[in-house]
Amino acid sequence: MKSLFTFLAFVITIQMAQAQFPGPGSDGQGRQRTATETNAVANPAPKGNAKITGYVIDSAATQAVAFANIALFNKATNKIIDGAVADEKGKFTMKGLAAGDYKIQISFVGFINKTIDDIKIKKGDDLDLGVIKLTPQMKMLQEVTVTGQKALIEEKVDRLVFNAEKDLTSKGGDASDVLKKVPMLTVDLDGNVSLRGSSNIRVLINNKPSTIMASSVADALKQIPADMIKTVEVITSPSAKYDAEGSGGIINIITKKTTLEGLTLNVDSGVGNRSSNLGLNGNYRKGKLGVSLSGFGRAFYNPSSGSLTQSTLQGGSTITTKQSTDAQDNGLFGQYTLGLDYDLAKNQSLSASARFGVRNFKRDQTQATSIFADDALTSTALRGINSQDLSNSVDLNIDYLHTFKPQQEWSISTQYSQNNLTNNFTSDLLGTGNDILSRQKNINLNTNKEFTVQTDYTTPLRKNQLLEFGVKGIFRQVNSNYEYLAATGNSSIYYNDATRPAGLLNYQQNVAAGYLSYTYTTDNKYTFKIGSRYEYTSITANDANSTISIPDYSNLVPSINVSKTFAGTTLKAAYNRRIQRPGLQQLNPNFNAANPQDIRIGNPNLSPELTDNFELGASTNINKTYINASLFARQTNNSISQIRVLSDTLSGALITTYQNIGKQQNYGANVFANIFITPKWSLNGGVDLLHTYLEGQAQSLSGTSYTTSNSGFVVSGRIMTSLSLTNGWGIQGFGFFRGPQIQLQGSQSGFRMYSLGIKKDLPNQKGSIGIAAENFMTNGFVIATNLNSETFKQTSENKIYNSSVKLTFSYKIGKMSFSSPKKTKSVSNDDVKGDGGGDNSGGGQAAPASGGNSGNRPR
């Protein structure tokens, strides 16, 4: 067997040498000549007993160039007569050589070829060439004309990969700006993300979770700079290796990782009329050690306005509420990361990271309210509301990876994550002269802690089979403390509000999981990936007065993925079962009455929902066009749904909460195409068609519950074009539309957006400057939400001011050289439901005009 491997390595080396060194073995145009055309390898080397050895290293990084190619030429005939491949330490040996005059050529991708002439070998010589240094090919980018672009979409058995590095219009923005361009995803104007119409998704960052996602995916995405995103993976049919949570699927954001040696510093900045950003990214790598330190901050400042009309039937009267709101939103989002990785040995690595995040969202608004009883004005109120949605988070990871051989590896991963949230508001009741008549304050402090430990083992079974298994434990603790305070007049002295006593929630959740996954690829290119995951969840909870009884539960979650590739076409079929545990926003029992007519409260008694997913897909390349199409169906039972009920007063107020009372059915289709019109000009776009059926509970006039339902089609689409010009110029345009959304008790109007970006690379690829504009031909637009039942009707309108222009600048500082990227494993928690707003019908719900703490902003 060893002799066979040696022979194959010898043949591969000769073929690669012929391809890289035009001459007797090549026509110089990339076409290999046949044995008839050249005798380059027809005559084997004369046998002898001499030997040549040497070591190949990177001249800049002073480390081995593993698997470099070495070709031995007869100097007189210039024909290849022998070859070798360096090992992992860069060492190579050629034995059995006859006396003579030779030359050697050493090559490897990313380095300049090196030739050693005048090698004279005598009979029986052992010639040691010592250390041979290859020079990194640093300047080739300035001399090569690009004739093609990296594929925008990559297709794998269980996911679709979107390469985001070429996005110009998102530069200076955040992750939500990138996700708008990804097929199958929809990002609404508040940043809420849905996948094929479902907002029940899990978002990972480099395969890692974060507690910031448990409170608000939309806000968490604002902490991730668009410039640092390399790819976005859309996993529509997760395998058993992934946590069972995320009924709609998983979005995995892969950030750019350095593969450079030395010390570098990247600066990215942008200034615009709606937001500004500044990012710094430093890396130091030397030998076995790598250190990275990065920071990103983004500030936004944007006005908003809206209106609300709400009618309720109470006590035999129709209570009508009319509100108008003018607000100013200000926010500061930041993320700071320190990472370390170290090679313990050639097949063992240790990595650690600490990520800190901050989110400060503040809204100052003036809210005017008029209340009518049977069309007669009964009261008016003018309020000044200041709301604060503040958080700070930390994620600590330590990961160990032992690689035994290709595809055989064992890993241990640990993570501690904590997110501290402050959701406060102060409401001042104003008189006719804007004097303060009374004050009200809600203080809500939340903490979400997680500790995770997992171990995974992967091993090949023969050349076409792969076995994966592992176990995992997640230990969560959620705490919420809240109280209401009141003050008389303009006093700054607050006292406890007796009508709304303080409360708390202590919620502990432990998840024990194990999985087994098997992948088999046949000779005729069928790939089967099957597996199952078992999860056992135990919960203990209590409020200020008593223990909340929540039973433990277990789930067996199967997954099947099948694909077939032939003639450039890939067909896929998949089935999986998913669960969706309630998130912090759904559980939090804080009675949020920033708007006394539109009250929000969570439900700590929620249980998880179960979803069955089916998918059929096909992708193919036709000349310069890539096409991807899929059909899918999704059935969710015990759905966590928003319900709206009347308050127990005659004020006409509505209370919005969550219950496991729903059923949701979705089916639809996606079509996406990418066309290379020329090697430098690409056009891509797609259309998504979704039919939604929602079923849940509503309140009747008599106060009892009844079953209600709603259904309809939702159409959305996107188009993007990119053009690379000479002298480092690039242009990109993007457009998106989404039709009206279906909700359990109504609908929400659609919206559209567009953007245009221009970029100019600086000399030597050291940086770039650019300008990006979004919705620059309009001054915003209105999103309307209409809800109705037997007991109420509600119409809200939000004016969205999202026209913006931004100048961007980036620059790289430091000395760099190539090195191999480090391979690591890490914790991946993807099992908690974030708040997408709405009725889980996809896309989320726009913030009502009333909101100090609006419905789509989790609390």
Side-chain angles (χ1 to χ4, degrees):
M1 182 65 70
K2 183 176 180 181
S3 299
L4 176 61
F5 286 154
T6 303
F7 174 74
L8 291 174
F10 170 69
V11 174
I12 292 171
T13 301
I14 292 175
Q15 295 297 328
M16 293 184 68
Q18 287 181 309
Q20 295 186 35
F21 307 137
S26 171
D27 64 4
Q29 303 298 320
R31 181 180 64 89
Q32 292 300 306
R33 295 177 179 177
T34 65
T36 305
E37 296 176 280
T38 177
N39 293 324
V41 293
N43 299 319
K47 296 297 181 182
N49 58 358
K51 181 174 69 172
I52 297 178
T53 60
Y55 287 85
V56 184
I57 70 169
D58 181 342
S59 63
T62 62
Q63 67 178 22
V65 179
F67 312 117
N69 304 300
I70 294 89
L72 181 68
F73 286 78
N74 183 308
K75 192 169 182 181
T77 63
N78 202 34
K79 294 178 181 179
I80 299 173
I81 61 171
D82 203 351
V85 177
D87 62 16
E88 292 182 350
K89 296 181 179 180
K91 182 180 179 180
F92 67 89
T93 302
M94 288 182 286
K95 298 179 180 180
L97 302 178
D101 295 336
Y102 301 96
K103 71 176 181 179
I104 284 180
Q105 289 183 321
I106 303 101
S107 64
F108 195 68
V109 176
F111 294 88
I112 298 174
N113 298 338
K114 188 178 184 73
T115 301
I116 302 176
D117 288 314
D118 299 325
I119 294 179
K120 298 182 182 296
I121 300 179
K122 296 180 180 179
K123 185 177 180 179
D125 272 357
D126 286 342
L127 179 60
D128 186 356
L129 297 178
V131 174
I132 303 170
K133 296 182 178 181
L134 294 187
T135 302
Q137 202 166 21
M138 298 294 291
K139 298 182 179 181
M140 287 300 293
L141 288 176
Q142 301 174 8
E143 302 168 1
V144 175
T145 300
V146 178
T147 58
Q149 299 184 36
K150 183 178 180 180
L152 188 71
I153 300 294
E154 296 179 48
E155 190 78 23
K156 298 186 179 181
V157 66
D158 61 346
R159 71 193 64 192
L160 181 145
V161 181
F162 177 82
N163 292 301
E165 295 178 282
K166 299 181 296 178
D167 191 359
L168 304 183
T169 58
S170 298
K171 195 168 185 65
D174 54 48
S176 62
D177 296 312
V178 176
L179 266 56
K180 295 173 185 175
K181 320 293 174 51
V182 180
M184 296 185 288
L185 300 185
T186 300
V187 182
D188 71 11
L189 297 171
D190 294 309
N192 298 303
V193 184
S194 61
L195 169 57
R196 288 175 169 170
S198 174
S199 57
N200 297 339
I201 56 177
R202 187 62 170 164
V203 179
L204 306 178
I205 305 171
N206 295 324
N207 293 298
K208 300 177 184 179
S210 176
T211 53
I212 60 174
M213 296 292 181
S215 59
S216 171
V217 170
D219 286 346
L221 293 176
K222 293 181 174 65
Q223 299 181 26
I224 307 171
D227 303 326
M228 290 300 296
I229 297 177
K230 181 180 180 181
T231 61
V232 177
E233 299 179 347
V234 181
I235 308 173
T236 56
S237 184
S239 68
K241 189 172 185 176
Y242 289 93
D243 292 327
E245 192 75 15
S247 58
I250 296 172
I251 300 172
N252 188 23
I253 299 173
I254 304 298
T255 60
K256 298 174 184 176
K257 296 183 178 66
T258 179
T259 56
L260 304 174
E261 290 278 355
L263 179 63
T264 66
L265 177 66
N266 296 345
V267 181
D268 290 284
S269 63
V271 178
N273 65 320
R274 302 293 185 194
S275 65
S276 298
N277 65 278
L278 175 64
L280 298 174
N281 183 19
N283 297 278
Y284 176 77
R285 288 192 179 274
K286 194 67 176 178
K288 296 182 178 181
L289 176 66
V291 181
S292 63
L293 179 64
S294 62
F296 173 79
R298 181 172 184 262
F300 72 91
Y301 25 85
N302 204 21
S304 61
S305 63
S307 63
L308 171 71
T309 301
Q310 180 174 289
S311 296
T312 62
L313 298 176
Q314 289 181 283
S317 299
T318 300
I319 310 298
T320 302
T321 300
K322 293 184 178 181
Q323 286 183 338
S324 62
T325 303
D326 289 303
Q328 178 66 39
D329 295 338
N330 294 283
L332 181 64
F333 299 86
Q335 180 174 279
Y336 316 92
T337 304
L338 172 65
L340 301 171
D341 60 72
Y342 186 77
D343 288 337
L344 301 174
K346 69 176 183 179
N347 59 349
Q348 299 181 62
S349 65
L350 187 68
S351 62
S353 66
R355 183 175 63 203
F356 303 90
V358 295
R359 183 194 70 208
N360 295 332
F361 176 83
K362 298 180 180 180
R363 168 176 288 177
D364 293 311
Q365 63 176 322
T366 301
Q367 181 188 94
T369 304
S370 299
I371 298 178
F372 301 81
D374 295 328
D375 297 327
L377 180 63
T378 59
S379 66
T380 60
L382 181 64
R383 286 181 172 84
I385 302 173
N386 174 267
S387 59
Q388 295 182 335
D389 182 2
L390 316 177
S391 75
N392 61 81
S393 62
V394 59
D395 298 313
L396 304 176
N397 295 272
I398 299 179
D399 309 302
Y400 168 80
L401 176 65
H402 189 152
T403 302
F404 300 95
K405 62 181 181 180
Q407 291 191 311
Q408 184 181 20
E409 57 190 34
W410 172 54
S411 64
I412 301 176
S413 302
T414 62
Q415 175 176 279
Y416 174 78
S417 186
Q418 178 171 324
N419 190 21
N420 301 311
L421 300 99
T422 300
N423 300 131
N424 298 343
F425 76 83
T426 301
S427 178
D428 296 335
L429 183 61
L430 306 177
T432 55
N434 285 334
D435 52 316
I436 299 177
L437 303 179
S438 63
R439 285 181 163 177
Q440 185 183 57
K441 180 186 292 187
N442 178 210
I443 298 176
N444 185 200
L445 305 177
N446 305 275
T447 303
N448 190 351
K449 300 178 182 178
E450 290 184 5
F451 176 72
T452 303
V453 58
Q454 70 182 65
T455 182
D456 301 276
Y457 184 75
T458 301
T459 185
L461 304 176
R462 302 180 181 177
K463 65 178 181 178
N464 60 341
Q465 302 175 56
L466 186 68
L467 182 67
E468 301 170 276
F469 57 88
V471 294
K472 183 176 186 177
I474 307 174
F475 309 92
R476 289 194 178 94
Q477 182 173 345
V478 176
N479 302 104
S480 177
N481 291 276
Y482 54 91
E483 61 179 331
Y484 265 86
L485 304 173
T488 303
N490 195 21
S491 175
S492 58
I493 300 176
Y494 287 86
Y495 55 88
N496 290 326
D497 189 342
T499 61
R500 292 175 183 156
L504 61 86
L505 171 67
N506 295 319
Y507 188 94
Q508 293 182 334
Q509 180 190 85
N510 298 327
V511 180
Y515 74 90
L516 179 66
S517 179
Y518 172 73
T519 304
Y520 174 65
T521 302
T522 66
D523 293 336
N524 53 354
K525 296 185 179 181
Y526 277 99
T527 299
F528 300 87
K529 190 166 189 175
I530 61 176
S532 187
R533 184 181 187 91
Y534 176 80
E535 294 190 350
Y536 182 83
T537 304
S538 62
I539 299 174
T540 59
N542 66 275
D543 57 23
N545 301 313
S546 62
T547 298
I548 302 173
S549 179
I550 302 176
D552 299 344
Y553 55 89
S554 60
N555 300 93
L556 185 64
V557 183
S559 65
I560 302 173
N561 291 275
V562 182
S563 67
K564 163 69 174 175
T565 301
F566 59 93
T569 298
T570 299
L571 301 178
K572 293 169 51 176
Y575 163 76
N576 63 74
R577 169 167 286 185
R578 311 290 293 166
I579 65 176
Q580 191 74 51
R581 296 182 179 90
L584 175 59
Q585 194 276 339
Q586 286 88 10
L587 297 170
N588 190 353
N590 177 47
F591 194 86
N592 191 314
N595 180 357
Q597 299 303 111
D598 190 7
I599 301 167
R600 310 278 166 157
I601 184 172
N603 179 6
N605 293 288
L606 291 173
S607 59
E609 58 187 35
L610 299 174
T611 299
D612 290 296
N613 294 287
F614 303 87
E615 178 181 358
L616 293 174
S619 61
T620 188
N621 286 282
I622 303 175
N623 296 325
K624 297 180 180 180
T625 301
Y626 167 85
I627 301 175
N628 176 282
S630 61
L631 300 172
F632 64 90
R634 185 169 59 242
Q635 167 78 36
T636 301
N637 294 315
N638 204 37
S639 177
I640 299 174
S641 301
Q642 279 188 359
I643 64 168
R644 297 168 179 85
V645 297
L646 298 177
S647 69
D648 55 3
T649 68
L650 298 179
S651 63
L654 290 179
I655 298 177
T656 300
T657 187
Y658 300 87
Q659 289 189 17
N660 293 104
I661 54 175
K663 180 171 71 174
Q664 182 174 347
Q665 296 174 342
N666 289 300
Y667 59 85
N670 309 103
V671 178
F672 176 85
N674 185 50
I675 306 171
F676 285 101
I677 301 174
T678 71
K680 295 186 177 183
W681 184 14
S682 67
L683 176 68
N684 68 79
V687 176
D688 305 327
L689 177 64
L690 171 71
H691 182 272
T692 298
Y693 172 81
L694 300 167
E695 184 178 293
Q697 300 293 307
Q699 188 181 56
S700 68
L701 289 172
S702 62
T704 60
S705 295
Y706 69 95
T707 301
T708 185
S709 63
N710 196 10
S711 64
F713 284 94
V714 181
V715 181
S716 59
R718 61 185 58 80
I719 187 170
M720 183 168 69
T721 184
S722 298
L723 178 62
S724 297
L725 304 174
T726 57
N727 299 321
W729 285 95
I731 301 175
Q732 186 177 88
F734 170 75
F736 174 83
F737 77 92
R738 190 198 72 185
Q741 292 283 93
I742 304 301
Q743 298 186 1
L744 177 61
Q745 294 172 303
S747 65
Q748 183 187 90
S749 65
F751 66 93
R752 63 186 183 277
M753 60 180 63
Y754 53 89
S755 59
L756 179 66
I758 302 174
K759 185 191 73 168
K760 173 68 171 71
D761 289 332
L762 299 178
N764 301 320
Q765 303 289 322
K766 282 291 187 179
S768 66
I769 57 175
I771 183 172
E774 182 174 296
N775 301 308
F776 47 88
M777 292 188 293
T778 59
N779 188 29
F781 50 90
V782 174
I783 294 290
T785 302
N786 295 286
L787 306 174
N788 62 79
S789 72
E790 286 188 9
T791 57
F792 74 87
K793 291 183 179 180
Q794 184 188 85
T795 299
S796 61
E797 293 185 347
N798 275 335
K799 180 67 178 295
I800 307 298
Y801 299 92
N802 66 339
S803 57
S804 64
V805 178
K806 177 175 289 188
L807 298 174
T808 62
F809 172 78
S810 65
Y811 194 75
K812 301 176 182 179
I813 304 170
K815 182 180 180 181
M816 301 168 289
S817 60
F818 292 98
S819 69
S820 298
K822 311 296 183 185
K823 185 176 182 181
T824 61
K825 282 292 184 72
S826 61
V827 165
S828 176
N829 288 351
D830 45 12
D831 71 322
V832 174
K833 178 170 182 172
D835 176 41
D839 297 292
N840 299 328
S841 56
Q845 177 180 339
S850 56
N853 290 336
S854 61
N856 74 312
R857 215 166 258 293
R859 298 288 173 260

